[in-house]
Amino acid sequence: MDFRAIFLVLTAVVLTCQADVYEVTAQRMSLETMPLVSSQKGQSSFTYNYNPSYLPRYENGQLLDGLLIRSQNSNGQPYGVGPSVISYTEASNQGKVFDVNHVEATNISDDNVVFSSEGEAESYGVEDPRVAYRDLNETYYMFYSAVQQYPDKVVSRLAMATTQTPLDKSSWVRHGAVFPEEKWSKSGALLLRDDIPGSPHYLYWGDSDITVAAASEDLTSFHNLHTFISVRENHFDSSLVESGPPPLRLSDGNYLFIYNSARPHPSAKPGYAKQYNPGWVIIDGTDPTKILQRAEIPLMSPVENWETGKSPELDLTPNVVFIEAAKALGDDTFLVFYGAADSVVGVAKITVTKSAEESWIF
């Protein structure tokens, strides 16, 4: 037997394998009119308005694109603030046909506050809402930071509240801390899977690493499964990672999950030296505890003056782009509303494309 000939034949056999590769890009919208919400433009009676969550609202059969937004006043000291509340603004072009290129927002005042502190557990405010709407029972599930003031520290606990009428402040039902055993918790993004019979729901939460938790069918309890996204050395997400808006369904059945992250960066703010940049992962549509692909570069970074906090723009926290709100536009495109410099709100369009990448196996 000629083993050399067999070896040559075997080495000539080449197999090819195709894998899906995703590209996710962001385009800032209407820069000539941005930021979308800013007290400097007379749009809010609160000094700082940022980190909104998307709130789809239906009125007489019409979809209205609402935002629940974190609002906060300055206490008169440099970088000093009072407790946060959650206000409502509408981004549906004020009754006109929705145009992603010319998004407007209604003004915010005390009359637009729909959720504010109750009890000791929220003595320092309520922050950073993330909302999921469940068609099955026409209920809004809001995950937010319940922030408590102690004599020597401030502590955040991820909490949940529900309602069917989100603009009625008295209608919200508080369900308390999601993970009462945790000393610190925040940033919860809920993935509802009612469209896939028998599929569990999941919660992605955390602001150092992101953990995935399985939800009970009635969404009253959550069981941690494993760390889902960790920081990476020498990357844009080397200091921390934190949940963004609820995962977004793609046309191929997988999900886009936008997360927020930080890396070291010089800052004029005392005791703070970070830059916040959102990233993304593609979640497996058949098993949402698995990641198919992760971004190697940030989706966005602070570049506009109202994102970097360059004077005369507001700069509660310089160099921040932070996404918690997303609206599906179709064809794997999404409109996101993001906090900038912990002071104002911007708008960007996210586009997801997929291609097959061929690899060679010898």
Side-chain angles (χ1 to χ4, degrees):
M1 182 178 293
D2 189 346
F3 290 102
R4 182 182 176 189
I6 294 174
F7 175 78
L8 291 174
V9 170
L10 288 174
T11 56
V13 176
V14 178
L15 300 177
T16 61
C17 179
Q18 286 190 337
D20 291 331
V21 176
Y22 294 82
E23 182 180 7
V24 184
T25 58
Q27 176 189 358
R28 289 170 176 80
M29 308 304 293
S30 305
L31 279 176
E32 69 278 3
T33 61
M34 287 294 116
L36 177 69
V37 179
S38 171
S39 61
Q40 289 182 318
K41 296 167 61 177
Q43 296 168 301
S44 177
S45 61
F46 294 93
T47 314
Y48 306 110
N49 303 269
Y50 58 109
N51 293 2
S53 178
Y54 180 63
L55 185 89
R57 196 167 67 83
Y58 300 90
E59 191 173 282
N60 300 322
Q62 180 184 4
L63 172 63
L64 301 176
D65 297 293
L67 299 175
L68 292 187
I69 184 169
R70 177 178 173 181
S71 297
Q72 199 169 20
N73 275 320
S74 168
N75 65 8
Q77 301 298 316
Y79 304 107
V81 290
S84 296
V85 297
I86 296 175
S87 304
Y88 176 79
T89 184
E90 205 162 277
S92 292
N93 296 118
Q94 303 181 39
K96 294 174 282 187
V97 175
F98 191 79
D99 180 357
V100 297
N101 296 302
H102 298 90
V103 182
E104 303 172 23
T106 54
N107 289 348
I108 298 171
S109 70
D110 287 335
D111 294 336
N112 303 110
V113 175
V114 299
F115 199 82
S116 57
S117 301
E118 283 188 10
E120 284 299 311
E122 299 173 357
S123 58
Y124 198 70
V126 289
E127 303 176 356
D128 299 346
R130 292 166 174 83
V131 175
Y133 177 71
R134 195 177 195 186
D135 288 304
L136 188 68
N137 56 4
E138 299 181 342
T139 298
Y140 297 88
Y141 294 79
M142 179 174 71
F143 293 84
Y144 66 98
S145 295
V147 187
Q148 185 169 0
Q149 174 77 67
Y150 290 91
D152 60 339
K153 60 183 177 181
V154 172
V155 173
S156 169
R157 297 181 182 91
L158 179 64
M160 183 177 75
T162 58
T163 184
Q164 291 184 321
T165 53
L167 302 194
D168 179 358
K169 188 176 181 180
S170 65
S171 72
W172 287 94
V173 177
R174 284 168 163 81
H175 300 271
V178 177
F179 302 106
E181 71 281 3
E182 298 285 344
K183 294 181 179 180
W184 176 282
S185 58
K186 63 184 302 186
S187 307
L190 180 64
L191 172 60
L192 292 169
R193 303 255 290 169
D194 290 322
D195 57 332
I196 306 175
S199 296
H201 313 295
Y202 295 97
L203 181 70
Y204 305 86
W205 71 278
D207 68 333
S208 52
D209 291 330
I210 297 174
T211 298
V212 57
S216 61
E217 175 58 30
D218 61 1
L219 302 177
T220 59
S221 62
F222 300 86
H223 172 66
N224 287 326
L225 298 177
H226 56 78
T227 299
F228 191 64
I229 303 176
S230 297
V231 297
R232 297 178 291 184
E233 291 186 5
N234 303 315
H235 280 73
F236 66 91
D237 46 13
S238 59
S239 295
L240 62 85
V241 290
E242 184 171 351
S243 291
L248 302 161
R249 190 70 175 267
L250 299 173
S251 58
D252 65 358
N254 294 323
Y255 297 92
L256 169 69
F257 181 48
I258 298 170
Y259 66 92
N260 297 291
S261 70
R263 60 185 168 191
H265 192 277
S267 174
K269 185 174 182 176
Y272 171 83
K274 292 184 177 68
Q275 180 192 67
Y276 273 80
N277 315 266
W280 56 269
V281 296
I282 300 297
I283 296 177
D284 189 337
T286 59
D287 182 358
T289 68
K290 295 181 178 178
I291 292 173
L292 301 178
Q293 186 179 331
R294 183 173 178 179
E296 287 298 321
I297 60 174
L299 180 60
M300 300 174 66
S301 290
V303 293
E304 301 296 327
N305 288 347
W306 43 273
E307 296 169 346
T308 62
K310 183 178 179 180
S311 181
E313 302 291 343
L314 295 169
D315 65 341
L316 178 58
T317 307
N319 299 305
V320 173
V321 169
F322 198 93
I323 300 175
E324 293 181 19
K327 166 188 168 65
L329 299 176
D331 298 324
D332 292 343
T333 60
F334 307 91
L335 199 66
V336 296
F337 303 85
Y338 62 92
D342 280 1
S343 302
V344 299
V345 175
V347 184
K349 184 168 71 172
I350 306 299
T351 302
V352 182
T353 56
K354 183 177 75 170
S355 59
E357 186 175 87
E358 199 170 74
S359 58
W360 301 85
I361 303 175
F362 294 90

